[in-house]
Amino acid sequence: MKAQGPVTGEDPFNAFITRCEWKPGGKGMLAGIMVAVKDNISTRGIPTSCGSRILEGYTPPYNAHVVDLILREGAGIAGKTNMDEFGMGSSTENSAFGPTKNPADPSRVPGGSSGGSAAAVAAGMVPMALGSDTGGSIRCPAAFCGIVGLKPSYGRVSRYGLVAYANSLEQIGPLARTVREVSLLMEVISRYDPRDSTMGDRPFTPRLTGEVKGLRIGAPAEFFGAGVDPAVGESVREAIGLLEQSGACVVPCSMPSMAYALAAYYVTCTSEASSNLARFDGVRYGTPDDIRKPWHDAFREVRAKGFGEEVRRRILLGTFALSAGYYGKYYAKAQAARRNVSADFARIFRDVDVIAGPTMPTVAFRIGEKTDPLSMYLSDILTVPANLAGIPAVSVPCGKVNGLPVGLQIMGKPLEDERVLDVAYAYEQGAGR
Amino acid sequence: MVSPDDVEKIANLADIRLSGDRLGEFTREFNAILEYFDILDTVAEEAGEKRGEFNIMREDEVTPSLPQGEVLALPRDSEEGFIRAPRVME
């Protein structure tokens, strides 16, 4: 089936790269629901650019597993959403198709990298969307736009057809306005796929009881420490207080590995990116290179023109971290640090059922405000630990600071996606949504 | 600290051309980020528990693949079932 498009129409927040009205019809759990799909998730017959010039003109000849699953359940596709190029960013400003604006305040970023998916949902253009989360790319825009977003446990959703950025960290996941809708979409997309060899056959079984009596919540001090806006921290503490009033108890704990989690994350993701993005050479798809030129000259040219600045920076950082003489100092150390993060979570989870804290250290910042790459990286400090450890984490709206949404992040034990959504549901119900 | 020469060498390894005027700024940003990565020096080499690593091989079964025609429609140039690429010999 071919996409009918392009569809013109209002897109005041630049949430979409490609609009379409793909309505296969049919019955199923998502019958009649239009879903927006992040532009790094392959859609047969609909261009898939990853927000990059290098994939201009590329239309995948196959669907990602998750796309097949939602279509099979009767969903339609409303279009492909804007994103930081290849998922590399926290603001959706690094898109070759221009920045997406935050529906809560159009002078501000929607977060990233799944900013288009979050903005499309927050603006009411679609009820639900698919995103991908390598270091917070679902939870960050969910928090900044005031919606719900889940990064599933590693291995819970097939990555077949997701254009790879950092395979060991990323997962496709759902975004929607309510926990119930996120749970519904998660139930559909978590069905087993042998084509992703890191996936386990562990179907998601929704369990939204809203019951938190006796639940033990860990709130590590590091999630409320330096760099976290005190007003955001206060808002999240109040949200945790609400869960306490419903019968949960808060257990004090600490997570020392937070000191180097962000560095471990950036060394790992850039290293994996330098390998993954080597495939974009203009030979088989995307922007064609000049075949009259010698091999390396042709590649260097097409990659210099096709990749944006942040993508080039991350490929170079990763190439450096993996290069002879530096591997031990960066990549090997980052993997040891990553094991420490997992060990910290395992230790904390011996005493608690879930861990709660802010999703983002601040509310949405202004478009163009963060010009220094390192300051942008630092905004991921609270979301990357879940990716390093492969655990499930959800962001659910918990009030506002200066009129801008704040996200409560709930992290769970590996494969306990059902539980983190249930706790988010309990909060959502308690907060009287 | 890395020098502009180091960055240029890495860019060549990664097959990415960097224009001269961007090299200085890339180097400056590179050094700021690498300085931040120095926190990893505080991690003990053999910290944490390594997971057992072993290979699991599946049976090599023939499964359906994409039709050749659809795949060859993607590159700009193909000939007799092959994709044309830039020349390797200088």
Side-chain angles (χ1 to χ4, degrees), chain A residues 385-410:
Chain A
N387 299 80
L388 288 168
I391 61 173
V394 64
S395 180
V396 60
C398 72
K400 290 184 173 177
V401 166
N402 299 329
L404 295 164
V406 174
L408 163 67
Q409 181 176 209
I410 297 158

Side-chain angles (χ1 to χ4, degrees), chain A residues 44 59 61 262-263 283-284 289 291-293 295-296 300 303-304 309 313 316 320 329 333 339-340, chain B residues 10 12 14-15 17 22 29 34 38 40-41 43 47-49 70 74-77 84 86-88:
Chain A
R44 180 179 171 85
T59 300
L262 190 76
V283 173
R284 289 150 299 164
D289 47 18
I291 57 167
R292 292 163 304 180
K293 290 194 168 157
W295 189 265
H296 286 291
R300 275 169 200 164
R303 286 158 66 80
E309 182 149 315
R313 181 179 297 115
L316 294 194
F320 180 72
K329 179 171 166 58
K333 285 279 188 181
R339 288 192 291 275
N340 284 355
Chain B
I10 295 157
N12 282 335
D15 269 334
R17 201 186 56 206
R22 298 289 299 117
E29 290 165 351
L34 292 179
D38 280 346
L40 292 170
D41 288 340
V43 181
E49 207 176 307
E70 284 189 33
L74 294 171
R76 181 178 55 185
D77 253 330
R84 282 171 71 101
R87 58 195 163 85
V88 180

Side-chain angles (χ1 to χ4, degrees), chain A residues 51-276:
Chain A
S52 182
R53 288 269 170 245
I54 209 160
L55 278 174
E56 206 159 24
Y58 171 64
T59 300
Y62 67 100
N63 278 332
H65 184 63
V66 294
V67 170
D68 276 336
L69 289 173
I70 63 167
L71 294 174
R72 204 177 298 161
E73 289 296 338
I77 293 176
K80 303 299 292 292
T81 54
N82 202 8
M83 56 184 284
D84 287 297
E85 187 176 358
F86 288 104
M88 299 181 186
S90 314
S91 68
T92 315
E93 291 169 293
N94 298 335
S95 167
F97 300 86
T100 294
K101 296 169 186 168
N102 190 330
D105 175 351
S107 72
R108 292 178 187 264
V109 303
S113 64
S114 311
S117 289
V121 171
M125 299 172 83
V126 287
M128 46 179 78
L130 291 174
S132 68
D133 190 314
T134 308
S137 286
I138 288 173
R139 291 160 287 156
C140 160
F144 279 5
C145 292
I147 62 165
V148 185
L150 171 72
K151 182 206 87 76
S153 296
Y154 191 77
R156 206 80 197 265
V157 176
S158 170
R159 287 180 293 108
Y160 180 82
L162 171 68
V163 179
Y165 155 29
N167 320 51
S168 79
L169 298 160
E170 61 206 3
Q171 284 285 285
I172 294 171
L175 299 101
R177 280 188 291 280
T178 63
V179 175
R180 187 171 288 285
E181 290 165 295
V182 162
S183 176
L184 174 66
L185 188 51
M186 177 62 187
E187 186 179 359
V188 170
I189 64 173
S190 60
R191 290 181 192 147
Y192 181 61
D193 177 15
R195 294 172 298 185
D196 175 355
S197 63
T198 61
M199 192 185 185
D201 190 2
R202 292 282 294 260
F204 175 89
T205 314
R207 196 190 60 213
L208 301 181
T209 66
E211 181 58 66
V212 290
K213 214 174 172 64
L215 182 87
R216 294 162 303 165
I217 302 173
E222 291 81 358
F223 277 79
F224 298 86
V228 178
D229 179 345
V232 168
E234 192 49 42
S235 193
V236 169
R237 284 196 192 282
E238 277 174 28
I240 297 171
L242 200 138
L243 289 168
E244 266 185 302
Q245 284 167 30
S246 308
C249 60
V250 174
V251 180
C253 57
S254 82
M255 194 157 167
S257 60
M258 283 291 280
Y260 42 71
L262 190 76
Y265 169 78
Y266 271 96
V267 169
T268 305
C269 74
T270 56
S271 296
E272 293 186 25
S274 75
S275 166
N276 274 321

